[in-house]
Amino acid sequence: GAGVSQSPSNKVTEKGKDVELRCDPISGHTALYWYRQSLGQGLEFLIYFQGNSAPDKSGLPSDRFSAERTGGSVSTLTIQRTQQEDSAVYLCASSFGGVWGETQYFGPGTRLLVL
Amino acid sequence: SQQGEEDPQALSIQEGENATMNCSYKTSINNLQWYRQNSGRGLVHLILIRSNEREKHSGRLRVTLDTSKKSSSLLITASRAADTASYFCATTGYALNFGKGTSLLVTP
């Protein structure tokens, strides 16, 4: 079946603009995760959705970052007033049940460049 | 924050040789996973080893876990050019805590 998909693949924006990144998880997966990968910081957890529970936002670096998951499926990560340090690859993953230590399946990522 | 730390940061070998990557972590774990990433894009799950396991095999991959030393190793035997990628260990809660990875280059 289809894997996790993300769009756009690449996004170039100007400092101060807002951007939206989209993730379509694997059908039937109840858990969805966002990560960020940058040269200086490696792979960082951002946010985790599990079913209808309140998301775990503990990894979001600032209040400029927010994410939604509509209907328990598609998720959108929004970065407001982008800064150059937001440049990174944003990776989305999903897993079947969201239980502790479960295998996660990753999308190809969105490469964001803030000029 | 990073939980795992891979070693070495970069490794270059020839096809047919074995590649060994090590990972150290800081806190107690339930399991540890290894992932591969090609060209800075999506990660692919390779293998999961539980805290009560000491060794696990999957094809050409062999993973060991020493919870007393808080370390794990990934061995790729008879490497191929297609194994060129970055390899990450990740300790697991609900989210994954990744190390910074080992960049492996396998030359023909």
Side-chain angles (χ1 to χ4, degrees), chain B residues 58-101:
Chain B
S58 177
R60 293 184 295 113
L61 305 180
R62 172 177 168 254
V63 169
T64 62
L65 179 65
D66 187 335
T67 53
S68 66
K69 296 181 180 178
K70 291 187 169 58
S71 67
S72 174
S73 67
L74 171 66
L75 168 68
I76 304 174
T77 60
S79 62
R80 306 167 182 167
D83 295 329
T84 294
S86 292
Y87 292 81
F88 295 86
C89 68
T91 57
T92 54
Y94 290 105
L96 295 170
N97 298 301
F98 289 95
K100 293 192 175 180

Side-chain angles (χ1 to χ4, degrees), chain B residues 13-67:
Chain B
I13 60 174
Q14 291 189 317
E15 271 191 323
E17 294 181 335
N18 296 341
T20 299
M21 289 158 270
N22 303 298
C23 167
S24 59
Y25 58 91
K26 296 175 184 175
T27 62
S28 297
I29 59 169
N30 290 325
N31 62 52
L32 184 142
Q33 301 184 34
W34 283 89
Y35 283 79
R36 183 185 71 211
Q37 184 179 40
N38 292 87
S39 304
R41 287 297 183 132
L43 289 94
V44 174
H45 177 259
L46 294 177
I47 198 166
L48 180 153
I49 186 164
R50 301 190 188 283
S51 60
N52 61 354
E53 297 176 310
R54 292 297 169 259
E55 188 172 310
K56 200 163 183 179
H57 296 254
S58 177
R60 293 184 295 113
L61 305 180
R62 172 177 168 254
V63 169
T64 62
L65 179 65
D66 187 335
T67 53

Side-chain angles (χ1 to χ4, degrees), chain A residues 15-88:
Chain A
K15 178 181 172 181
K17 301 275 189 176
D18 297 352
V19 295
E20 287 189 350
L21 312 179
R22 177 188 168 105
C23 172
D24 280 271
I26 293 173
S27 177
H29 279 191
T30 62
L32 186 148
Y33 314 79
W34 283 97
Y35 296 86
R36 177 172 72 173
Q37 186 175 30
S38 56
L39 281 175
Q41 300 299 321
L43 272 156
E44 302 173 278
F45 162 73
L46 296 177
I47 189 169
Y48 157 64
F49 295 89
Q50 168 55 35
N52 295 321
S53 301
D56 177 353
K57 304 179 182 179
S58 60
L60 294 178
S62 78
D63 58 8
R64 296 186 295 105
F65 288 72
S66 63
E68 290 184 340
R69 188 178 186 194
T70 54
S73 181
V74 171
S75 177
T76 301
L77 177 69
T78 301
I79 309 173
Q80 295 178 309
R81 306 181 301 281
T82 53
Q83 303 294 313
Q84 289 180 332
E85 60 263 30
D86 299 334
S87 295

